[in-house]
Amino acid sequence: MDRLINMILRQITRRLVNKGIDAGFKKAASMNKKRGETSEQSLQSKQQIKQAAKMMRRTTRM
């Protein structure tokens, strides 16, 4: 029973952390748009942000 509860809590925690990371990266991307980046630079930034988010998810897995 204890293992089941721990498993569920880890899944919930992982989802919350991933949502927080995604929200932070989206906010950072929107700040770049306000600075007046060109569409090409914005596309590169977006790709870098997605790549960084994937790396963060992989490293923060429990």
Side-chain angles (χ1 to χ4, degrees), residues 23-38:
F25 281 117
K26 285 181 183 177
K27 181 67 174 177
S30 69
M31 290 175 73
N32 284 338
K33 288 180 184 177
K34 290 179 184 175
R35 291 184 190 169
E37 284 189 351
T38 64

Side-chain angles (χ1 to χ4, degrees), residues 3-20:
R3 286 184 185 178
L4 181 63
I5 293 170
N6 284 336
M7 182 181 67
I8 292 170
L9 285 175
R10 271 190 254 125
Q11 286 179 344
I12 291 170
T13 304
R14 187 176 352 148
R15 287 181 185 172
L16 290 173
V17 168
N18 286 339
K19 283 185 180 185

